[in-house]
Amino acid sequence: MSGPGGRRGRAGWAGRKGPPPWWPADEPWPPRGGRGPWGRRRGPWARRFGCLFGVAFLIGLVGLIGLVGSIVMAAGPFGHVARLLGIGVVILGLLAIAGSGRTFRRVAFSLDELSEAADRVEHGDYTTRVTVPLTGPRPMRDLARSFNEMVTRLEADEAQRRRLLADVSHELRTPLTVVQGNIEAMLDGVHAADEAHLAAILEETRVLGRLVDDLRTVALSESGSLPLHREPTDLAIVATDAVGGFRSAAQAAGVALDTEIAEDIPLLEVDPVRVREVISNLVANALRHTPSGGSIAVDARVDEAGRAVVVTVRDTGTGIDPELLPHVFDRFAKAPGSRGSGLGLAIARGLVEAHGGSIEVESAPDRGSTFRFRIPVNHEAG
């Protein structure tokens, strides 16, 4: 096929500045990443790398020949022996250069691929990956592998950023819609500007305020810049106060709420406000998913090694879906129909990790959930 759309027509257009007449208007020119006549198999930097290697080889070869010539000229009566040795050295040098040429060629192609991939990443293409050479210099393989890992993280961060924007927009839409609807109804005379309607607007503004505060806490904890005001803290007092704030709600919901705090817990060098927030988030989450007649138990004790205090919040609620369980500590992760914002557990994880601890969960549908977090013991504070 030799028409403008055939192989000859396409190959004949390769190298020209503008696209051919039949090229689609919505596709970039020249095409990138292909293996045809327009696919940049070796970019300018690869040619520069190749030229650099070629110059190095040439300098090495000239230097080798010059060195051998100098030895031959200085050999005097043993010139014929030196000449033979020089020829042998030159041959060995050529063989060594020829043997290393393949390695340098492989490195040049890898550098070419890396430079093109870096250019695509610069323009926002985080799906780019490079081929990790199976052979060749180990630093080159490590560089390709590190590049792929870097782009993978960039791609994950970009996806997370997009999800965050979508989730924040979704969470803000409901209270803003309620506020806007009530105000418009008042202005249109549908609703009176009385205490009942104004109270509904005020409550939605409080929801917005809590959401903004939660987002700020999550952002600070994930960035590692969350300020902690550490002080010697009695965890028994903090846990008792945190649980006490939910007793009225638990009684109204028909849920038993019990606490068991070990007496041998030492003073912890922690931020008491933040630790109370962690316990409150876990208890609130348990209360939200435990039906009437169920129970919630909170206990704290020192682990067997004596290196950390373990706080456990166990409920007999509906449990967590297996598909949601691996993502339960992610931002805005929540079961369908959940009344929460999906930030409480993400905040709990961030606050625990800010204290150098860890948090985990065990759960099964209709069998309840067990949240457990650890905070290292500061022996100096005890």
Side-chain angles (χ1 to χ4, degrees):
M1 184 174 180
S2 58
R7 183 176 300 177
R8 289 185 182 180
R10 297 185 181 187
W13 206 272
R16 301 191 183 185
K17 294 183 178 180
W22 44 265
W23 188 256
D26 58 343
E27 294 188 12
W29 176 268
R32 304 174 61 183
R35 295 185 178 273
W38 301 304
R40 290 194 303 168
R41 186 60 181 159
R42 298 188 66 188
W45 280 106
R47 289 194 292 270
R48 294 178 187 178
F49 288 132
C51 291
L52 178 62
F53 295 147
V55 170
F57 289 152
L58 181 61
I59 293 175
L61 180 60
V62 172
L64 180 63
I65 294 176
L67 177 62
V68 172
S70 299
I71 294 175
V72 170
M73 293 180 63
F78 300 99
H80 59 287
V81 178
R83 191 177 301 110
L84 293 176
L85 292 176
I87 293 175
V89 171
V90 172
I91 293 175
L92 291 176
L94 291 176
L95 291 176
I97 292 175
S100 61
R102 184 176 181 181
T103 300
F104 282 118
R105 181 174 179 270
R106 188 182 298 115
V107 170
F109 276 115
S110 297
L111 290 175
D112 174 35
E113 188 177 7
L114 279 170
S115 63
E116 291 187 358
D119 180 67
R120 291 194 293 271
V121 171
E122 180 186 3
H123 289 83
D125 183 6
Y126 298 127
T127 62
T128 299
R129 299 295 186 274
V130 297
T131 303
V132 179
L134 299 177
T135 59
R138 183 174 180 179
M140 193 69 237
R141 287 178 286 162
D142 292 342
L143 177 61
R145 190 178 299 108
S146 300
F147 179 87
N148 287 340
E149 292 178 357
M150 177 193 69
V151 179
T152 299
R153 292 182 181 180
L154 288 175
E155 184 179 16
D157 290 343
E158 177 66 14
Q160 187 179 37
R161 183 186 68 83
R162 293 179 182 275
R163 287 196 302 269
L164 175 61
L165 290 175
D167 292 337
V168 170
S169 300
H170 175 74
E171 293 296 330
L172 291 176
R173 185 178 296 113
T174 299
L176 286 176
T177 301
V178 174
V179 171
Q180 180 179 354
N182 279 276
I183 293 178
E184 289 179 350
M186 292 178 185
L187 293 176
D188 294 339
V190 177
H191 292 160
D194 53 16
E195 182 178 352
H197 293 95
L198 291 176
I201 296 176
L202 179 60
E203 178 60 27
E204 294 301 325
T205 60
R206 288 172 178 168
V207 171
L208 286 173
R210 288 195 298 267
L211 180 59
V212 172
D213 290 339
D214 289 347
L215 286 171
R216 181 176 181 274
T217 301
V218 171
L220 291 175
S221 62
E222 290 184 351
S223 64
S225 56
L226 181 68
L228 294 179
H229 304 287
R230 296 178 180 267
E231 60 184 63
T233 301
D234 188 341
L235 184 63
I237 298 177
V238 173
T240 301
D241 289 345
V243 175
F246 293 91
R247 294 203 178 274
S248 298
Q251 291 177 358
V255 176
L257 183 57
D258 301 319
T259 59
E260 183 178 352
I261 311 298
E263 297 181 356
D264 61 343
I265 297 179
L267 293 179
L268 301 177
E269 194 73 19
V270 296
D271 186 332
V273 176
R274 296 301 188 181
V275 172
R276 175 172 179 167
E277 187 174 357
V278 173
I279 299 175
S280 298
N281 282 342
L282 295 181
V283 174
N285 181 74
L287 186 59
R288 190 179 300 118
H289 297 284
T290 302
S292 178
S295 64
I296 301 173
V298 180
D299 68 79
R301 63 190 68 252
V302 181
D303 65 0
E304 296 180 356
R307 298 180 178 178
V309 172
V310 182
V311 179
T312 304
V313 178
R314 184 180 296 104
D315 65 68
T316 60
T318 57
I320 303 174
D321 187 272
E323 295 184 358
L324 178 63
L325 190 59
H327 310 286
V328 73
F329 293 109
D330 295 344
R331 293 173 300 196
F332 299 106
K334 57 182 181 178
S338 175
R339 302 187 303 272
S341 65
L343 290 174
L345 296 180
I347 291 174
R349 180 184 63 176
L351 295 178
V352 170
E353 292 179 349
H355 283 87
S358 61
I359 188 170
E360 59 187 15
V361 59
E362 299 174 1
S363 182
D366 301 323
R367 297 180 60 182
S369 304
T370 300
F371 287 87
R372 186 179 296 108
F373 70 90
R374 301 170 179 268
I375 295 181
V377 172
N378 188 321
H379 295 283
E380 295 180 358

